[in-house]
Amino acid sequence: MTAVLFDFSGTLFRIESAESWLRAALSHTGITLPEAESAATARALEEAGALPGGAFPARLPDEVAEVWEVRDESPDLHRAAYTGLSRRVPLPDPRVHELLYDRHLAPAAWTPYPDAAEVLAGLRGRGIRVGVVSNIGWDLRPVFREHGLDTWIDAYVLSYEHGIRKPDPRLFEKACAALGAEPRRTLMVGDDRRADGGAAALGCAVHFVDHLPVTERPAGLRPVLDLVDGVGPRP
């Protein structure tokens, strides 16, 4: 392998909990909710799929369905999709819907997986070029910079900047081209078998990790180092 492509959410980083997300947004309004009400509201937002990077909607409402399918093709569509979902949950102030969306853009809302820096540094030490390929409607580069991981990233290929979403092989093709890498010598690492698995159509090898909280996946990325060394992942 000469290059490795990584997904963003659920692979290198994990979004904060829905409760933390709600508290952070409410803090800008001066509104406080009783603990039980806050927890119930956070659960409702999570079930609605309103937290980007969190769970998918339990049910996609008709008024959001059309924009949901193209949400990662522009910042406006992404915002419309997720605020449309959050508005299905009653909140104490209508402003909070936009504040919730803005909060998930903040680097503080994201935490890198515990072994992300170790693995990225290990790839750099092996002379492996690294790219990030994400279905996303906003610029995630500040998240990497804030957490000190951008130093190991050679290219970012984001769906909204190209109007192409995974699993379309063209997005992976753009990533390989940005790294000067041959697809058959490139590994794609992600948590979504459909979206990230699209790299296989281009000839890339694919490795999947589990989309788990950071405390439950301390070493899920380490097998990537064995894969690029050609020895296979550790059990």
Side-chain angles (χ1 to χ4, degrees):
M1 295 294 173
T2 63
V4 178
L5 306 175
F6 288 94
D7 174 51
F8 167 55
S9 176
T11 300
L12 289 175
F13 284 84
R14 172 81 180 207
I15 191 67
E16 65 187 329
S17 70
E19 287 193 53
S20 173
W21 175 56
L22 176 60
R23 285 195 304 269
L26 287 173
S27 70
H28 291 281
T29 68
I31 297 170
T32 57
L33 295 177
E35 186 175 342
E37 184 180 351
S38 178
T41 302
R43 284 195 301 272
L45 286 164
E46 189 167 22
E47 290 172 6
L51 173 59
F56 282 106
R59 184 183 72 80
L60 196 61
D62 293 340
E63 63 270 23
V64 180
E66 185 175 351
V67 72
W68 179 260
E69 291 303 313
V70 292
R71 67 192 183 281
D72 295 317
E73 294 183 9
S74 82
D76 289 343
L77 291 170
H78 197 266
R79 181 181 286 271
Y82 283 101
T83 56
L85 291 173
S86 73
R87 287 192 174 94
R88 296 185 60 79
V89 178
L91 295 176
D93 186 322
R95 294 176 297 164
V96 178
H97 297 289
E98 296 292 342
L99 291 170
L100 283 169
Y101 185 85
D102 292 340
R103 167 63 187 182
H104 106 276
L105 304 175
W110 296 89
T111 301
Y113 280 93
D115 56 344
E118 170 195 343
V119 170
L120 293 174
L123 293 172
R124 174 59 57 86
R126 289 163 169 77
I128 303 292
R129 292 181 65 77
V130 174
V132 172
V133 185
S134 179
N135 283 351
I136 198 165
W138 51 277
D139 187 3
L140 51 72
R141 294 172 182 86
V143 176
F144 280 80
R145 288 196 295 269
E146 182 70 20
H147 290 280
L149 299 189
D150 63 312
T151 187
W152 296 300
I153 307 301
D154 298 296
Y156 296 89
V157 179
L158 311 180
S159 62
Y160 84 95
E161 294 181 333
H162 298 278
I164 305 168
R165 294 174 293 132
K166 299 181 292 186
D168 191 323
R170 292 177 296 167
L171 197 64
F172 303 106
E173 185 175 26
K174 288 182 180 295
C176 289
L179 297 177
E182 297 177 12
R184 294 192 179 277
R185 300 187 68 187
T186 299
L187 173 67
M188 175 66 206
V189 182
D191 68 301
D192 187 320
R193 291 184 177 273
R194 178 180 177 275
D196 300 314
L202 193 64
C204 300
V206 182
H207 176 69
F208 296 107
V209 294
D210 294 323
H211 188 138
L212 293 170
V214 292
T215 56
E216 296 177 23
R217 212 194 76 193
L221 292 167
R222 288 180 187 165
V224 171
L225 296 177
D226 289 330
L227 288 169
V228 299
D229 288 338
V231 299
R234 297 183 181 92

